[in-house]
């Protein structure tokens, strides 16, 4: 297995085989039935192009009041538990004793993107964030610990896993665009990204 190191991010290419990717998609489909995808507003008032939901004790949310974790889905139901298949990826790649308490599910349809941002709504940045990519390729851009400066990009394909930890935990990152229809994992195309986070 090859691991690229880019600005402190560990990029595990092809970490999940196709059978595992299919199994993870199946549990994500169940999860989305229990906690439907929604399209949050940015604090600046514009809707995000990505649709999202979460599993775990906390789910990530954004609206006019800002970015934060909330303990229930905006429709009122509890977030579903993080599926074991997904927790197993965290265990295997981090070898940490503590499990994550949020799995954010990001769904990128055609034209969706995510601007450069830091993941900084968690209490303790010594825990890494682990990202799992499924479906269409996404162009991942990595910046710096402060806004601005030179950036580097890498295409993330289905089955790739990225560990954002250590000195890179607060590094800016985002998805410029996806190559819609580049993968056959999801029958109607699009990209799923799961990020596992320790929130408290
Ligand atoms: C994120 O930063 O929350 C998502 C990154 C990705 O979609 O790969
Ligand atoms: Mn992020």
């Amino acid at each position: 297995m090859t691991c690229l190191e880019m600005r402190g991010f560990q990029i595990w290419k092809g970490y999940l085989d196709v059978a595992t990717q299919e199994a993870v998609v199946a549990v994500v489909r169940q999860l989305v039935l229990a906690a439907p995808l929604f399209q949050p507003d940015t604090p600046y008032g514009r809707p995000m192009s990505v649709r999202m939901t979460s599993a775990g004790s906390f789910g990530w949310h954004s609206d006019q009041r800002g970015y934060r974790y909330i303990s229930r889905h905006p429709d009122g139901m509890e977030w579903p538990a993080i599926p074991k298949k997904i927790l197993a990826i965290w265990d295997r790649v981090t070898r940490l004793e503590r499990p994550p308490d949020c799995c954010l599910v990001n769904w990128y349809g055609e034209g969706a993107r995510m601007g450069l941002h830091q993941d900084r709504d968690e209490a303790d940045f010594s825990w890494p964030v682990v990202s799992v990519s499924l479906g269409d390729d996404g162009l991942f851009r990595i910046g710096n610990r402060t806004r601005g400066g030179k950036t580097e990009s890498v295409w993330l394909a289905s089955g790739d896993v990225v560990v954002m930890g250590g000195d890179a935990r607060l590094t800016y990152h985002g998805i410029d665009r996806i190559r819609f229809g580049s993968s056959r994992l999801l029958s109607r195309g699009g990209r799923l990204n799961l990020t596992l986070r320790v929130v408290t």
Side-chain angles (χ1 to χ4, degrees):
M1 180 123 23
T2 49
C3 180
L4 300 173
E5 175 94 18
M6 210 184 244
R7 300 192 177 195
F9 285 20
Q10 287 171 24
I11 302 167
W12 292 93
K13 299 297 291 177
Y15 195 77
L16 305 178
D17 61 27
V18 174
T20 306
Q21 294 171 39
E22 284 170 349
V24 173
V25 168
V27 298
V28 171
R29 287 193 197 285
Q30 292 303 309
L31 202 157
V32 167
L33 289 177
L37 293 166
F38 55 92
Q39 192 168 11
D41 281 327
T42 61
Y44 319 103
R46 280 206 299 162
M48 296 181 70
S49 57
V50 167
R51 301 203 309 152
M52 57 180 64
T53 189
S54 292
S57 310
F58 301 95
W60 191 82
H61 191 48
S62 166
D63 60 15
Q64 260 84 335
R65 285 167 47 206
Y67 302 134
R68 63 193 182 281
Y69 286 96
I70 53 178
S71 51
R72 282 175 178 272
H73 187 282
D75 291 351
M77 66 281 260
E78 281 183 22
W79 300 109
I82 304 178
K84 287 197 179 69
K85 281 235 151 33
I86 297 175
L87 289 173
I89 302 169
W90 169 275
D91 290 346
R92 185 176 147 208
V93 77
T94 71
R95 311 240 166 241
L96 291 168
E97 263 147 58
R98 181 168 172 181
D101 43 23
C102 172
C103 173
L104 174 64
V105 177
N106 283 138
W107 161 253
Y108 297 74
E110 192 164 11
R113 57 186 303 280
M114 187 177 289
L116 280 175
H117 66 277
Q118 291 170 300
D119 290 350
R120 52 177 304 157
D121 304 313
E122 302 76 27
D124 181 350
F125 302 132
S126 63
W127 299 101
V129 171
V130 170
S131 128
V132 178
S133 293
L134 296 162
D136 289 341
D137 299 342
L139 186 58
F140 188 56
R141 185 189 289 270
I142 303 176
N144 302 285
R145 256 164 278 170
T146 52
R147 209 170 252 298
K150 285 195 175 144
T151 63
E152 280 180 82
S153 298
V154 61
W155 281 99
L156 296 181
S158 196
D160 292 352
V161 171
V162 181
V163 181
M164 307 185 262
D167 288 344
R169 178 62 178 74
L170 288 174
T171 293
Y172 276 83
H173 57 276
I175 293 286
D176 286 351
R177 59 193 164 92
I178 69 164
R179 271 199 284 239
F180 188 77
S182 54
S183 161
R184 288 200 295 194
L185 187 73
L186 307 172
S187 46
R188 276 169 288 178
R191 174 174 186 265
L192 264 179
N193 177 266
L194 313 178
T195 42
L196 296 165
R197 299 128 183 270
V198 173
V199 174
T200 55

